[in-house]
C-alpha cells in the first residue's frame, strides 16, 4: 500500500532498514521486549470485585473498632524499582507500601477522596460509561482543590487494584500530536487519515483504535511542539516520506506513550527521539524508552526499550561547531538532574548515552534543538536529520 507523497529513493533508508532488520532479529531471538507481565485489561466484574474487596476491608476494620487504612505500593523509592533492559523500570514484587490512614490529620482527606473516586469508578464500570480525569475534577473542584490531586489518586487506584487506567473507565485528554504516513479507525468507527502536512490529535482511546496501516520507514518522537510544528512547516514529513512523527509536547501524557507503544508492537519500525541536549530532554527520552517510577507498575504496556537517541547529542555541539552564543550554561538544578540520571540503573547498559551525558557534564553547557538555526534556518530539517537518518547517526 502506497501513501503520498513519495520521499527519497529507497537506498536513502539503507541504514534505517538495516537497523530494523537487527531489531527484528533481536525480537526473534528473544533479546528484545518480551510479552507478559504488568497489569492486563481487567473485565468489569474483576474491577468491581477489586473495589468491593477494598470496601470490605474498611468495613472489617470498623467492625473491630479499628481506624481503616488504605495500603498503596510506594512508587517514590528506587528501592522498590527493578530494571530489565527488555522492559524498563518495573516495581519489585514485594515492595514497601504506604498507608493512607483515616485517623491521621495528614491523610484523612486523601483517604476520603480515594473512597469518593472509587465510588465514581464503581458506578462507571457498572453502567459501562466513561469519563475523563478532568470531568472528575469538575464534579467538585473545591473538594479536590486542583487537577493534580485527581491525577495522583487515579494513578494510585490503578496501582492498588493492579489494573490499567482504561479498565477503570477513566480516560485522559490527549495533548500529543501525530503526523505522517498512518491511517487507523477509532473504536466508534471514525476513520483517521494522518497527513504529512497537518497534525492530528492523539486519540484518547488508544486501546480502541484498530486497522492501523502504515508503510513508514521510521517513527520520530519530537520532544517539543514548536520543533514538531517547524518540521511540518519545513515539509520534513513529505521529504522523508514514508515516516511518522509524534510529539507529547514535553513530558508525554499516557495516551502518547500508549500510541508509541502500540505502533511499535504492531509494526516494529525503528523509533528515534529528537530532544534538547539538556537533562530535561534526556529525562523525557528515558520516559518513552524505559518508563517512569510513577507508572512503573504498568511498564509492560508503556515502554519501548528499542527506542534510539537520534539527537540533539551533546557531542553534536562540538562536531557541528555550534557557536557558544547558542549554548546555555547548566543550572544547579540541571546538574542535579543530570547526576540523578547518571545514577539510574538503565544507564549502565547504555555506555554511549553515558558518554554523551558526561560530555554535557564536563562542558557545563546545554543546547536546545533551536541552536541548529544558528547554522541555517532550516538546518534541522534539511541537513541534520536527513544525514542522521541516512548515515545511522543514532545511539
Amino acid at each position: 500500500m502506497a501513501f503520498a507523497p513519495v520521499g527519497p529513493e529507497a537506498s536513502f533508508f539503507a541504514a534505517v532498514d538495516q537497523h530494523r532488520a537487527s531489531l527484528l532479529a533481536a525480537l526473534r531471538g528473544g533479546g528484545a521486549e518480551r510479552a507478559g507481565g504488568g497489569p492486563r485489561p481487567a473485565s468489569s466484574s474483576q474491577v468491581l470485585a477489586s473495589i468491593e474487596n477494598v470496601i470490605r476491608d474498611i468495613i472489617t476494620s470498623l467492625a473491630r473498632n479499628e481506624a481503616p487504612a488504605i495500603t498503596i505500593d510506594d512508587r517514590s523509592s528506587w528501592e522498590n524499582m527493578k530494571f530489565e533492559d527488555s522492559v524498563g523500570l518495573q516495581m519489585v514484587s514485594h515492595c514497601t507500601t504506604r498507608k493512607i490512614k483515616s485517623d491521621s490529620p495528614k491523610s484523612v482527606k486523601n483517604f476520603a477522596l480515594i473512597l469518593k473516586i472509587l465510588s465514581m469508578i464503581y458506578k462507571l464500570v457498572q453502567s459501562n460509561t466513561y469519563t475523563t480525569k478532568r470531568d472528575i475534577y469538575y464534579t467538585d473542584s473545591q473538594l479536590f482543590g486542583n487537577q493534580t490531586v485527581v491525577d495522583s489518586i487515579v494513578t494510585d487506584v490503578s496501582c492498588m487494584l493492579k489494573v490499567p487506567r482504561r479498565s477503570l473507565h477513566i480516560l485522559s485528554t490527549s495533548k500529543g500530536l501525530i503526523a505522517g504516513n498512518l491511517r487507523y479507525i477509532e473504536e466508534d468507527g471514525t476513520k483517521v487519515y494522518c497527513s504529512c502536512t497537518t497534525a492530528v490529535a492523539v486519540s484518547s482511546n488508544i486501546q480502541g483504535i484498530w486497522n492501523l496501516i502504515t508503510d513508514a520507514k521510521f517513527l520520530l518522537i519530537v520532544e517539543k511542539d514548536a520543533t514538531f510544528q517547524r518540521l511540518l512547516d519545513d515539509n520534513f514529513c513529505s521529504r522523508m516520506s514514508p515516516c511518522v512523527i509524534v510529539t507529547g509536547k514535553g513530558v508525554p501524557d499516557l495516551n502518547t506513550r500508549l500510541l508509541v507503544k502500540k505502533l511499535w508492537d504492531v509494526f516494529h519500525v525503528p523509533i528515534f527521539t529528537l530532544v534538547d541536549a539538556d537533562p530535561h530532554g534526556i529525562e523525557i527520552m528515558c520516559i518513552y524508552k524505559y518508563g517512569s517510577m510513577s507508572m512503573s507498575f504498568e511498564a509492560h504496556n508503556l515502554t519501548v526499550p528499542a527506542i534510539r537517541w537520534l539527537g540533539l547529542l551533546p557531542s553534536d555541539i562540538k562536531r557541528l561547531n555550534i557557536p557558544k552564543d547558542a549554548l546555555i550554561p547548566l543550572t544547579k538544578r540541571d546538574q542535579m538532574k543530570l547526576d540523578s540520571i547518571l545514577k539510574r540503573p538503565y544507564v549502565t547498559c547504555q555506555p554511549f548515552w553515558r558518554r554523551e551525558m558526561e560530555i554535557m557534564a564536563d562542558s557545563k553547557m546545554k543546547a536546545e534543538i533551536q541552536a541548529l538555526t544558528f547554522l541555517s534556518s532550516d538546518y534541522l530539517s534539511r541537513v541534520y536529520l536527513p544525514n542522521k537518518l541516512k548515515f545511522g547517526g543514532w545511539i
Side-chain angles (χ1 to χ4, degrees), residues 379-390:
Y379 190 87
L380 173 68
S381 61
R382 290 192 176 274
V383 181
Y384 183 79
L385 290 176
N387 282 344
K388 285 268 187 172
L389 292 165
K390 185 175 182 179

Side-chain angles (χ1 to χ4, degrees), residues 142-156:
Q142 285 191 322
L143 175 65
F144 289 116
N146 60 67
Q147 181 69 53
T148 306
V149 172
V150 174
D151 297 349
S152 177
I153 290 175
V154 169
T155 303
D156 280 343

